[in-house]
Amino acid sequence: MSEPVLAVRDLVKHFPVTRGVVFRRTVGQVRAVDGVSLDLYPGETLGVVGESGCGKSTLAQVLMRLTPPTSGTATFEGEDLFAKRGAALTAWRRDMQIVLQDPYTSLNPRKTVGDIVGEPFDIHPEVAPKSDRQRRVQELLEVVGLNPEHIRRYPHQFSGGQRQRIGIARALALRPKVIVCDEPVSALDVSIQAQVLNLLSDLQREFGLAYLFIAHDLGVVRHLCDRVAVMYLGSIVETGTAEEIYTRASHPYTQALLSSVPVPDPSLRGRREAVRLEGDVPSPADPPSGCRFRTRCPKAAPVCAEDPPALEVRPSTDHPAACHFAEPPHLVRVE
Amino acid sequence: MAAPLLEVDDLRVEFGTGPETASVLNGVSYHVDEGETLAVLGESGSGKSVTAQTVMGILDTPPGRITGGAVRFRGEELLGAAPERRRLLRGESMAMIFQDALSALNPVYTVGFQIAEQFRFRRGMSRRDAMARAVEMLDLVRIPSAAQRVKEYPHQFSGGMRQRAMIAMSLALDPELLIADEPTTALDVTVQAQIMELLDELRRERGMGLILITHDLGVVAEVADRIAVMYAGRIVEQTDAASLYAHPAHPYTRGLMDSVPRVDDLGRGAGAPLRPIPGLPPSLSAIPNGCPFHPRCAYAVDVCTDEVPPLREIGAGHRAACHFAERFAAEGPDRPATQEVISR
Ligand SMILES: Nc1ncnc2c1ncn2[C@@H]1O[C@H](COP(=O)(O)OP(=O)(O)O)[C@@H](O)[C@H]1O
Ligand SMILES: Nc1ncnc2c1ncn2[C@@H]1O[C@H](COP(=O)(O)OP(=O)(O)O)[C@@H](O)[C@H]1O
Ligand code: SF4
Ligand code: SF4
Ligand SMILES: [Mg+2]
Ligand SMILES: [Mg+2]
């Protein structure tokens, strides 16, 4: 197997909780990301799923070097990501790009599409000489399925799906190796979402991109991802291939998530197991002791409040899960 | 036969004037009976909320303009009714909940006060009795420690709890019809499942009619008795849930189904391309001639650009607005027959 392009170990990002205006005191920590390890291999898609507030965007922001980590390491092609400075940092930025969820706020409304998509070339003039700029931008627009003639239009003249394509074109401009996609299709209607998902697949094949694909929609993740990491309250609770996660989920949280997703097939009504979780996710400023999921876990036992379960493969499972009692679900085939 | 609980008949609504006029509803017809769940399914901008607002009598006019059609509650025509009559029906007979519970609740009053208010002003109850009823209502929507939570403010509630509180408020005066406009769109999937289950139980216990507005084909499949699919201000298909998924008759319905990446389905092969609907919904100030869906339809032929397909009966209780609906319904969907589900 090849080396991971991105390798993350024990990554932690805490935000201080402060009180007072004149004398600001730190009274606690929001443990947004609390010990995440993952590997992303060239050309693959690794999905990161979890409910809102579990730390997905914070993970993306730290890996993009938009905010410093509290602790932990990350390497990009073997080099220390967080140690990069100056020219090395600028050079690395070519290789790793991000696409954000909101196609309405992530594009500058006063710039033309040509300026937005061509902006990376201003920072990296070595990639495209000025004389070649317009042709390159038009090529990018064509690649993402937009009309190259629309280079002088403004973002508001495009629909949500088209704006997301503009964001993707901008991310592609410098021919990166990795694109972090933070909920790239969550704001789109289903028919438009499908267009953008197909585009992402096509681009991956054409340019050999690796995606770190963050989403809360488990259907989208199953469709697109080779491997999946499930997050809960700042940590990864289960990880495996898409097939392992979707057919043999062994962590009670993953099982509950999967059984909560409504399936568009009325003939399955009442035939799927419904694992209903009680209550809401606890605050990441004050996570439960031991296993963080124990306050909502239908299988919780006394040991769960004492020992935090390690993310590891257990005797009855074939992929890592952070649960003392991890076991695969019972599957039945229905006609 | 008795009149349906609610009947919307050929409803037409416009916004704006002159060449900018947006024809937002272009003849919407649906009905819902007592104890039944009608799902209104459609992508954003298709007119789901404007229809609901017109039914409730809360559409802003202007800018909106009702240009035709009827809304009948138990046979009583509402569009021409006096404002006092509409106000009385709101809350007592029909109520509505929204996607954004936080902005529907008043931030400066406790949740209990806001529920109790209805009992005080519309049932003439004492402050004390009204508050006791508010606690009962929070209990009804399964809010734990209702007696304590009733004294809290909306911002102290989580998203799921706020949606429960709004349901409690909407049911306070025991309406016969509840319109839920994307009630779980802003919620996480585990909380969404709790809220959908709650709504379904309350509907059953109270024999209430429920109109569930959503864009999620999964949610619809799990709870709807009947489904109305909307596109560009029209109902393009309407039938019971089982038939819609087994025999989708309108190419738009089929396109939606082929666009959804399913959590339970590697049948198409993991990563096999989805089959999206090409293009975009039309601008409502320039709806195409003929079938409004024709610029995006893979099956469009000459007649589709010339003649508007009416919403017509193609089988028992199955209506579709496509010239070739019978053919598509007979073909059935393109989907594997067996799959694995997680079960006990
Ligand atoms: N800049 C910040 N300051 C304080 N807390 C933050 C900040 N950014 C995120 N958080 C908190 O960190 C947690 C994780 O947030 P986020 O990474 O956005 O989650 P997700 O993307 O999974 O929804 C949340 O509780 C959020 O409120
Ligand atoms: N107050 C308003 N002024 C102008 N246009 C409106 C107004 N409310 C709704 N519309 C338009 O009506 C159309 C249908 O809206 P809506 O019923 O909210 O769609 P849906 O609920 O299906 O997403 C949209 O194109 C929207 O822009
Ligand atoms: S370790 Fe215990 S509380 Fe945590 S998921 Fe497993 S059974 Fe549940
Ligand atoms: S009437 Fe024609 S264009 Fe419209 S949905 Fe049917 S086949 Fe497609
Ligand atoms: Mg996020
Ligand atoms: Mg709406």
Side-chain angles (χ1 to χ4, degrees):
Chain A
M1 199 158 177
S2 57
E3 292 296 307
V5 55
L6 179 69
V8 180
R9 293 293 173 271
D10 304 316
L11 193 68
V12 173
K13 176 67 186 183
H14 291 177
F15 295 105
V17 181
T18 55
R19 287 277 149 71
V21 180
V22 183
F23 301 103
R24 277 171 84 86
R25 300 167 282 135
T26 299
V27 294
Q29 302 286 336
V30 175
R31 298 158 78 161
V33 173
D34 214 15
V36 164
S37 301
L38 53 83
D39 290 319
L40 178 69
Y41 290 91
E44 77 161 349
T45 303
L46 172 64
V48 177
V49 286
E51 293 176 285
S52 51
C54 72
K56 305 181 297 294
S57 295
T58 304
L59 174 65
Q61 303 285 317
V62 172
L63 293 178
M64 290 307 299
R65 294 277 316 258
L66 299 172
T67 181
T70 304
S71 64
T73 62
T75 58
F76 188 89
E77 296 187 322
E79 291 173 16
D80 185 346
L81 182 56
F82 300 129
K84 286 187 189 293
R85 301 276 179 278
L89 181 61
T90 310
W92 163 77
R93 288 208 183 279
R94 278 182 58 177
D95 288 335
M96 194 153 143
Q97 294 284 321
I98 188 164
V99 174
L100 296 170
Q101 166 176 359
D102 192 347
Y104 297 89
T105 57
S106 58
L107 304 178
N108 186 337
R110 279 181 298 274
K111 288 191 165 177
T112 66
V113 168
D115 292 337
I116 291 170
V117 175
E119 190 177 57
F121 298 134
D122 296 337
I123 304 154
H124 297 275
E126 74 279 10
V127 181
K130 263 235 142 59
S131 58
D132 200 28
R133 197 69 60 85
Q134 171 157 340
R135 196 184 57 80
R136 293 288 284 267
V137 169
Q138 289 188 319
E139 217 173 80
L140 283 162
L141 292 180
E142 200 156 3
V143 164
V144 298
L146 292 170
N147 187 340
E149 317 259 291
H150 292 169
I151 188 163
R152 262 172 275 284
R153 293 197 178 180
Y154 290 88
H156 73 266
Q157 294 172 288
F158 294 86
S159 69
Q162 288 171 329
R163 284 187 239 207
Q164 201 52 290
R165 290 173 191 266
I166 296 169
I168 294 170
R170 174 177 59 186
L172 280 177
L174 301 175
R175 297 290 304 269
K177 294 169 179 156
V178 172
I179 299 184
V180 176
C181 305
D182 189 358
E183 308 263 11
V185 296
S186 305
L188 305 177
D189 272 314
V190 48
S191 71
I192 308 302
Q193 169 181 293
Q195 296 173 0
V196 174
L197 289 174
N198 280 355
L199 171 67
L200 288 171
S201 301
D202 293 346
L203 294 175
Q204 178 165 57
R205 219 168 304 122
E206 193 170 336
F207 299 109
L209 295 164
Y211 293 138
L212 186 65
F213 190 86
I214 293 171
H216 66 269
D217 184 319
L218 286 124
V220 167
V221 168
R222 179 167 205 174
H223 173 74
L224 207 67
C225 298
D226 304 301
R227 291 187 306 119
V228 179
V230 182
M231 276 184 85
Y232 187 79
L233 271 182
S235 336
I236 293 177
V237 296
E238 182 161 7
T239 178
T241 64
E243 208 217 327
E244 284 163 353
I245 298 294
Y246 283 87
T247 65
R248 298 191 291 284
S250 63
H251 194 286
Y253 177 61
T254 314
Q255 291 172 351
L257 263 187
L258 288 172
S259 91
S260 297
V261 181
V263 169
D265 185 349
S267 68
L268 295 177
R269 223 182 255 185
R271 296 168 74 175
R272 295 167 71 226
E273 183 187 24
V275 184
R276 289 288 173 265
L277 294 182
E278 299 285 320
D280 299 295
V281 183
S283 161
D286 184 21
S289 65
C291 173
R292 293 193 172 177
F293 184 55
R294 72 177 165 82
T295 53
R296 301 174 81 200
C297 181
K299 280 165 81 177
V303 62
C304 305
E306 308 282 324
D307 300 337
L311 179 64
E312 63 189 21
V313 183
R314 288 183 175 69
S316 62
T317 63
D318 60 358
H319 61 277
C323 169
H324 297 304
F325 307 108
E327 58 181 354
H330 178 55
L331 286 178
V332 291
R333 182 158 278 278
V334 296
E335 299 297 316
Chain B
M1 218 177 82
L5 181 63
L6 178 85
E7 192 176 11
V8 175
D9 187 8
D10 199 30
L11 192 61
R12 291 166 191 275
V13 169
E14 292 178 351
F15 282 93
T17 51
E20 297 290 293
T21 303
S23 310
V24 167
L25 301 186
N26 302 293
V28 173
S29 303
Y30 61 60
H31 74 272
V32 59
D33 288 317
E34 279 172 37
E36 179 188 51
T37 302
L38 171 75
V40 178
L41 178 71
E43 295 182 283
S44 45
S46 58
K48 306 181 295 296
S49 298
V50 168
T51 309
Q53 288 159 9
T54 311
V55 167
M56 288 295 292
I58 56 171
L59 180 73
D60 287 331
T61 50
R65 216 165 39 248
I66 301 169
T67 58
V71 173
R72 287 184 282 268
F73 186 78
R74 294 199 181 285
E76 177 187 351
E77 165 58 40
L78 297 185
L79 292 184
E84 306 82 72
R85 177 71 188 148
R86 308 277 338 237
R87 251 195 310 276
L88 184 76
L89 289 176
R90 270 200 298 279
E92 303 273 353
S93 298
M94 50 173 81
M96 186 161 166
I97 60 173
F98 307 88
Q99 171 176 335
D100 184 1
L102 189 58
S103 59
L105 293 165
N106 190 325
V108 302
Y109 296 111
T110 64
V111 169
F113 179 88
Q114 296 182 57
I115 300 173
E117 216 178 12
Q118 303 188 66
F119 294 115
R120 290 174 60 206
F121 295 114
R122 297 191 61 171
R123 292 281 185 270
M125 282 187 193
S126 70
R127 197 178 279 262
R128 202 193 159 91
D129 290 351
M131 200 50 101
R133 288 285 288 126
V135 174
E136 282 175 33
M137 291 310 297
L138 289 190
D139 220 38
L140 177 81
V141 296
R142 332 264 195 266
I143 291 187
S145 338
Q148 277 79 56
R149 305 293 315 249
V150 79
K151 299 181 200 123
E152 294 181 3
Y153 292 88
H155 75 265
Q156 293 173 285
F157 277 47
S158 67
M161 286 297 160
R162 263 178 229 140
Q163 199 53 275
R164 285 173 196 269
M166 191 155 64
I167 294 170
M169 200 174 313
S170 70
L171 297 185
L173 302 178
D174 208 8
E176 296 154 276
L177 173 69
L178 179 66
I179 303 180
D181 191 353
E182 311 253 8
T184 59
T185 302
L187 303 176
D188 279 316
V189 60
T190 59
V191 181
Q192 161 173 296
Q194 296 167 358
I195 298 290
M196 286 318 307
E197 221 161 67
L198 174 68
L199 280 174
D200 204 41
E201 277 170 34
L202 292 170
R203 174 198 53 82
R204 222 174 313 124
E205 284 164 14
R206 312 180 139 228
M208 204 169 55
L210 176 65
I211 298 180
L212 176 69
I213 296 174
T214 179
H215 64 272
D216 187 320
L217 280 94
V219 167
V220 167
E222 296 214 332
V223 301
D225 296 310
R226 284 186 306 109
I227 298 168
V229 183
M230 281 191 82
Y231 185 77
R234 285 184 176 83
I235 306 289
V236 295
E237 183 161 7
Q238 188 172 164
T239 185
D240 63 273
S243 316
L244 189 83
Y245 287 83
H247 303 287
H250 196 285
Y252 178 63
T253 312
R254 297 167 64 101
L256 283 180
M257 289 177 182
D258 289 344
S259 297
V260 183
R262 285 176 59 157
V263 74
D264 64 331
D265 188 1
L266 286 184
R268 279 190 293 233
L274 300 166
R275 285 170 298 184
I277 304 169
L280 297 170
S283 152
L284 296 175
S285 36
I287 296 179
N289 289 335
C291 173
F293 187 59
H294 85 254
R296 306 176 74 188
C297 182
Y299 308 98
V301 292
D302 285 350
V303 62
C304 304
T305 53
D306 299 337
E307 287 172 37
V308 181
L311 183 65
R312 62 200 169 85
E313 191 104 9
I314 60 159
H318 194 163
R319 312 209 297 156
C322 166
H323 294 305
F324 309 104
E326 286 84 353
R327 193 180 96 204
F328 297 126
E331 276 174 16
D334 187 5
R335 209 175 309 129
T338 67
Q339 55 200 296
E340 285 183 338
V341 297
I342 296 177
S343 178
R344 274 181 233 275

